[in-house]
Amino acid sequence: MDSFRVDLVKYSRDRLPSFRMETAVLTTPHGRKVRKRALDPEGERHLQNLVDGRRLLEGKLSGANLPSCTKTDDGVLLDLIEGEYVEDVVMRLVSNGDREGVLAAFARFRAYLAALGTAPAGLPMNGVVKELLADADVGNEEMMPVANIDLTMDNVIMDASGRLWITDYEWVFDSPIPRSFLLYRSLYVLYLKHNGRLEGLLPFFEALSSVGVPEALWEPYRQ
C-alpha cells in the first residue's frame, strides 16, 4: 500500500482466537479505507470469509451497495463509506420522542430488505442457517436469497445521497434465510443496546408487529 495515516484502531480481543481482529481506519492517497487484520493465525480464514461473503452478496442481492473488499498480504482492505448508520437515524428520532418517525424508519428498513430480493419459493435453508433456525417453523415466510446474519441497523450506512450501504460481511452464508428473522434480529440488537430509551416510546412487541414478524416466531427467533 502507498503511504497512509492511521486515524483510528480498535481490537476485538473478546472473541475466540479465530475471530479476533484489528480494525483500523486509514487515510490514503486513494481515499479513506478500513483495514482488518487477524490477531491470531487462526483468524486468516475469517478474513478470507469477508472477501467471499462480499462476493456472495454481490451475486445474490439485487442492487446492493457494497464497499469493495480486497485481500492484501496481511489482511483485507475495504472502502470506508462516509455517512450515518441507520441505527443513529432511528435513535435521533427516539431522542425527539417521534414515535411515528421511528415506525416509519422501521418500515423503510423493512422495504430496503425486501428490495434486496427474494429467494424462489420452496428453496430450503441449508448448513449453518438450517441449524440456527431448526426450532423455528418458518412456514411460508419470504426468504432472502442469501443469509447475511449481521444485516442489522448498526451495519447499514446511509450516505449523503441517501443510498444505503451494507458494511459487514463477516457472517454471510450461501443459504436462504427468512426476511422476518433478519428483521427480528435487527430490532433485537437495537433494543438490546437502547432498551431504556426505546421501550417507553415503542415497546419491542409493537416494533416487531409493525414490521410484520409473526408473533408465533418471536420466541423461536429469540432462542
Side-chain angles (χ1 to χ4, degrees):
M1 189 194 302
D2 298 328
S3 60
F4 61 88
R5 183 184 76 227
V6 178
D7 297 329
L8 177 149
V9 181
K10 72 172 184 177
Y11 297 92
S12 54
R13 292 194 174 95
D14 55 340
R15 300 177 172 187
L16 293 172
S18 54
F19 304 119
R20 292 173 186 162
M21 282 193 200
E22 173 200 86
T23 301
V25 175
L26 314 176
T27 295
T28 80
H30 309 290
R32 302 189 78 198
K33 305 287 183 180
V34 176
R35 183 187 65 197
K36 291 181 178 285
R37 298 194 294 197
L39 294 179
D40 297 87
E42 299 173 55
E44 290 300 323
R45 176 63 250 179
H46 192 57
L47 288 177
Q48 184 61 46
N49 287 345
L50 294 175
V51 179
D52 296 341
R54 186 196 182 281
R55 188 177 299 119
L56 265 175
L57 294 175
E58 184 177 38
K60 296 202 172 186
L61 294 185
S62 303
N65 295 310
L66 305 164
S68 66
C69 183
T70 306
K71 189 74 175 69
T72 64
D73 290 341
D74 64 346
V76 296
L77 201 64
L78 303 97
D79 285 339
L80 177 71
I81 304 302
E82 304 280 1
E84 187 174 26
Y85 286 102
V86 171
E87 177 181 298
D88 295 333
V89 173
V90 170
M91 294 313 298
R92 186 170 64 249
L93 294 165
V94 172
S95 295
N96 293 335
D98 187 353
R99 174 188 165 94
E100 294 306 313
V102 173
L103 285 168
F106 290 166
R108 287 193 298 272
F109 190 73
R110 178 189 182 187
Y112 168 66
L113 294 188
L116 292 175
T118 301
L123 194 65
M125 296 181 290
N126 62 72
V128 169
V129 176
K130 181 179 179 181
E131 180 181 347
L132 178 69
L133 297 177
D135 295 328
D137 182 6
V138 299
N140 294 321
E141 289 295 293
E142 286 193 344
M143 297 278 181
M144 299 284 290
V146 65
N148 183 359
I149 303 294
D150 258 358
L151 187 49
T152 51
M153 296 179 198
D154 56 351
N155 282 323
V156 178
I157 285 181
M158 180 184 294
D159 68 16
S161 300
R163 294 175 299 176
L164 296 178
W165 293 78
I166 298 171
T167 63
D168 193 293
Y169 313 141
E170 288 195 49
W171 308 106
V172 178
F173 303 96
D174 192 6
S175 168
I177 192 168
R179 186 176 296 115
S180 59
F181 175 72
L182 296 184
L183 287 165
Y184 179 93
R185 190 169 187 276
S186 295
L187 289 169
Y188 183 87
V189 169
L190 183 72
Y191 276 73
L192 190 66
K193 294 163 69 174
H194 304 289
N195 188 69
R197 297 171 63 191
L198 275 162
E199 190 67 27
L201 182 70
L202 181 66
F204 183 49
F205 74 89
E206 291 187 23
L208 292 175
S209 295
S210 77
V211 296
V213 180
E215 186 173 352
L217 288 172
W218 294 355
E219 182 57 22
Y221 282 173
R222 189 188 69 82
Q223 293 291 341

